[in-house]
Amino acid sequence: MEYIVILSSIAVVLLGLGVVIFLVFRKKKVQESLNIEEEQKHIIDTAKRKAGTLLKEAKLEAKSRLLEMKSDFDSETEETRSELKKEERRLSKKTEKLDKQEDLLSKRELVFQKKEIEIQEKLDSANKIEHKYKVVLDQTKKELEKVSGLTLEEAKELLLKAMEEEARHEGAKLIKKITSEARENADKEAKKIISTAIQRYAGDYVAERTVSVVHLPGDEMKGRIIGREGRNIRALEAATGIDLIIDDTPEAVILSGFNPVRREVARLSLEKLIADGRIHPARIEDVVERATQEVDLVIKEAGEQAAFDLGVHGIDSELIKVIGKLKFRTSYAQNVLQHSVEVAFLSGAIAAELGLDIKLSKRMGLLHDIGKAVDHEVDGAHAIIGAKLAKKYGENESVVNAIAAHHEDQMPGSVYDYIVQAADALSGARPGARKESLENYVKRLEDLENIANSFDGVVNTYAIQAGREIRVITESEKISDETAMLLSRDIARQIEENLTFPGQVKVVVIRETRAVEYTKK
């Protein structure tokens, strides 16, 4: 029972203690809640004060910015107004000026209208007068036709013929006079006219031989050259770059190719192989290599000898080799190296007569055809190719121009260019320089005679001196002395337009008057 009382007391005490603790905690919690509300209120009051301050500052800033913008706007508006006033004044002045011009144009228009009326009146008057004169002219023409017995067209034709005959007669007399004066002053004028006169020589031949023939000791050698299954001939063609043609031609092999130097190497190699008798691919390569070295040496020596003979020095060693290659080139069976040397001598001779630089002329003549040494390998005219070669190896501009202009692939620019043209034509056109087939020769003579015979008043024509001169026999009744001069010029022009020929063709017109009388017994 006591335990129960004690436990009950303890329980009461504990309950009271719990109530006290609960009340203490609750009071503390209430106090904390009150503190938080006060802090919140304080924060809210602080935020409101700051917001009020920021709002005032923003209002002040906005007001300041507004005032500034208003000031800027006022200043810009003032400037715009000022500019508008200026533009208004300028437009006002222009309007006044345009009004004045309009008044002036109106006045001028009235003046022009008056003048137009006056001109129209004058034109009407002129038309009336013209009509009147036409009537009078028609009457006069009819009266003249009745008196003369000729129509207007017939009279015009007679007048034109008379004027033409008179003009031709006067022209022929003038030509004769000018020619006579030119001959009298030939010594003084020679240096001026020779450069342009000699360029009329022409000659551009490009036909070449492209085959070489190697003779064999016997036809059995052909089989050895071909070799087993053709290995020897294939090896020789591959090493030289030349085609070997072995056909039914007895005791001969034909070498065909456009490169003359390679053709010469192939010819020399084949001759060595035939003489040695040992023909097989390894031997062929060795012989071709030695033959190439020999030909290169011959080329170099030929170029050096040509330059030495002419006294032309300072040519690049590579260009000397190109000159030497011309030894193996031909044009109409004329050796191109010999032709170049001959052109150099002729150029020097012409330059000496003109008092010009002889060595420079010889240099141009020697180099003028160097393009032919490589034109089978490079596309283009040999004159242009040669000019590029000369420029590449350091030749001066005048030499380059002379090479390019010697067939007028480029327009001549100096007297030296014409000298080289003339010397080139002279070398190719001299008797025996170049071969020509009989058929072409006869046709050229026939063409010359046919051109001359086509002119009125020509009785007969004879081409002489291998076509270098034609003699034209005329009717003396139809052709006068003055007309004969014109006829020779017309025939020469017709030949120039219709035929291609080296050098010049001399046209001689012959007019003969014979008086015959018989005696009486």
Side-chain angles (χ1 to χ4, degrees):
M1 189 68 175
E2 289 179 0
Y3 288 112
I4 295 170
V5 172
I6 292 169
L7 289 172
S8 298
S9 299
I10 292 170
V12 170
V13 171
L14 289 172
L15 180 63
L17 184 61
V19 170
V20 172
I21 292 169
F22 173 75
L23 291 172
V24 170
F25 275 109
R26 184 174 180 182
K27 185 178 181 180
K28 187 177 182 181
K29 192 172 181 180
V30 170
Q31 188 66 38
E32 287 178 357
S33 177
L34 291 172
N35 292 337
I36 289 170
E37 287 179 359
E38 289 178 0
E39 187 176 354
Q40 287 177 349
K41 187 177 180 181
H42 177 70
I43 291 170
I44 290 170
D45 292 339
T46 303
K48 285 181 178 180
R49 286 195 299 272
K50 287 184 178 180
T53 303
L54 290 174
L55 183 61
K56 289 179 181 179
E57 290 178 356
K59 286 181 178 180
L60 290 173
E61 180 69 21
K63 190 178 290 185
S64 175
R65 183 64 180 166
L66 183 62
L67 291 172
E68 185 180 349
M69 290 174 64
K70 185 178 179 182
S71 176
D72 293 340
F73 176 75
D74 291 341
S75 62
E76 290 178 1
T77 305
E78 187 65 27
E79 290 178 1
T80 305
R81 287 176 180 174
S82 177
E83 290 177 0
L84 288 173
K85 287 180 180 179
K86 290 180 181 179
E87 186 68 21
E88 186 178 356
R89 287 195 295 271
R90 190 173 65 83
L91 289 173
S92 178
K93 290 180 181 179
K94 278 190 174 182
T95 305
E96 292 177 1
K97 187 176 180 181
L98 288 172
D99 291 340
K100 292 179 180 179
Q101 289 180 350
E102 186 178 0
D103 294 338
L104 182 61
L105 288 173
S106 299
K107 293 178 181 178
R108 286 184 177 180
E109 187 177 359
L110 293 173
V111 173
F112 286 146
Q113 286 177 355
K114 291 179 181 179
K115 287 185 177 181
E116 186 177 357
I117 294 170
E118 293 177 0
I119 290 171
Q120 186 62 41
E121 291 176 354
K122 290 181 179 179
L123 184 61
D124 294 339
S125 177
N127 288 334
K128 291 179 181 178
I129 296 172
E130 183 181 2
H131 179 70
K132 180 180 178 181
Y133 282 130
K134 280 184 178 179
V135 173
V136 174
L137 184 61
D138 290 339
Q139 292 176 353
T140 306
K141 284 181 180 178
K142 291 178 181 178
E143 292 178 0
L144 286 173
E145 288 177 2
K146 289 179 182 179
V147 173
S148 63
L150 296 172
T151 63
L152 179 61
E153 296 300 326
E154 290 174 344
K156 283 183 179 179
E157 187 176 353
L158 285 175
L159 181 60
L160 287 174
K161 283 185 178 179
M163 291 178 67
E164 182 181 357
E165 187 65 28
E166 183 179 356
R168 289 177 66 86
H169 181 74
E170 292 297 326
K173 287 168 65 177
L174 183 60
I175 291 171
K176 186 175 181 180
K177 179 182 177 182
I178 292 172
T179 304
S180 299
E181 291 178 355
R183 287 174 180 170
E184 291 174 2
N185 299 325
D187 291 337
K188 295 179 181 179
E189 299 294 326
K191 290 184 179 180
K192 294 181 181 178
I193 66 174
I194 192 168
S195 302
T196 53
I198 59 181
Q199 67 170 315
R200 291 184 57 192
Y201 285 96
D204 188 13
Y205 302 97
V206 295
E208 305 170 21
R209 293 185 298 175
T210 58
V211 296
S212 299
V213 179
V214 177
H215 296 284
L216 305 177
D219 285 339
E220 70 277 0
M221 184 60 71
K222 291 183 179 180
R224 298 178 63 185
I225 293 172
I226 295 172
R228 183 178 298 175
E229 297 179 354
R231 63 177 186 175
N232 290 345
I233 190 171
R234 285 199 300 271
L236 190 56
E237 288 179 343
T240 60
I242 297 298
D243 295 330
L244 272 70
I245 301 173
I246 301 177
D247 52 17
D248 296 334
T249 306
E251 300 180 354
V253 173
I254 298 173
L255 307 177
S256 176
F258 288 100
N259 190 318
V261 176
R262 289 183 181 177
R263 214 165 53 239
E264 178 63 15
V265 170
R267 184 191 67 78
L268 192 59
S269 301
L270 189 56
E271 288 179 351
K272 287 180 179 291
L273 289 168
I274 293 169
D276 183 58
R278 293 176 294 169
I279 305 176
H280 53 82
R283 178 67 177 164
I284 288 171
E285 291 180 2
D286 183 52
V287 170
V288 169
E289 184 177 353
R290 283 189 291 158
T292 302
Q293 294 174 358
E294 290 180 18
V295 172
D296 288 343
L297 183 60
V298 169
I299 287 171
K300 184 178 179 182
E301 290 176 350
E304 290 175 346
Q305 187 63 43
F308 177 79
D309 291 343
L310 293 168
V312 177
H313 306 293
I315 298 177
D316 188 273
S317 59
E318 292 299 320
L319 200 55
I320 287 288
K321 292 179 183 179
V322 177
I323 295 171
K325 287 182 181 180
L326 296 176
K327 180 177 181 178
F328 301 102
R329 289 297 303 271
T330 57
S331 179
Y332 272 76
Q334 184 182 27
N335 184 274
V336 179
L337 180 58
Q338 293 178 358
H339 164 68
S340 297
V341 172
E342 191 172 271
V343 169
F345 276 118
L346 288 170
S347 298
I350 295 173
E353 291 296 326
L354 293 172
L356 300 173
D357 191 332
I358 299 173
K359 289 186 177 180
L360 180 60
S361 296
K362 285 185 176 181
R363 194 183 196 93
M364 293 174 175
L366 177 62
L367 297 175
H368 82 284
D369 263 349
I370 57 171
K372 287 187 177 181
V374 294
D375 63 353
H376 52 281
E377 301 172 349
V378 183
D379 292 334
H382 73 271
I384 301 301
I385 296 170
K388 291 179 180 178
L389 271 176
K391 188 173 183 179
K392 177 181 177 181
Y393 291 115
E395 292 297 322
N396 64 50
E397 197 65 27
S398 59
V399 175
V400 173
N401 289 339
I403 295 170
H406 81 275
H407 281 315
E408 295 192 356
D409 294 283
Q410 177 177 302
M411 289 303 296
S414 70
V415 65
Y416 291 100
D417 298 351
Y418 293 121
I419 288 174
V420 174
Q421 280 186 2
D424 180 39
L426 288 170
S427 174
R430 63 175 175 77
R434 290 175 172 171
K435 294 181 181 178
E436 185 176 20
S437 66
L438 178 61
E439 182 180 354
N440 290 338
Y441 172 76
V442 172
K443 187 176 184 305
R444 184 158 62 87
L445 297 186
E446 289 178 350
D447 290 341
L448 286 171
E449 293 179 353
N450 290 336
I451 287 174
N453 287 330
S454 65
F455 286 84
D456 188 34
V458 175
V459 177
N460 214 335
T461 303
Y462 302 96
I464 61 176
Q465 295 186 9
R468 302 295 180 195
E469 179 180 343
I470 58 172
R471 301 246 176 120
V472 183
I473 311 300
T474 61
E475 298 180 25
S476 58
E477 295 81 5
K478 291 185 178 180
I479 305 296
S480 63
D481 290 341
E482 290 79 9
T483 310
M485 294 187 65
L486 293 174
L487 179 62
S488 64
R489 292 171 62 85
D490 293 341
I491 293 173
R493 297 293 175 271
Q494 192 75 11
I495 292 171
E496 290 174 0
E497 292 174 2
N498 293 280
L499 297 181
T500 300
F501 52 89
Q504 288 182 330
V505 177
K506 183 179 180 181
V507 180
V508 180
V509 176
I510 300 173
R511 176 181 179 272
E512 184 181 20
T513 302
R514 294 187 182 184
V516 180
E517 183 62 42
Y518 295 95
T519 60
K520 296 180 181 179
K521 293 183 179 179

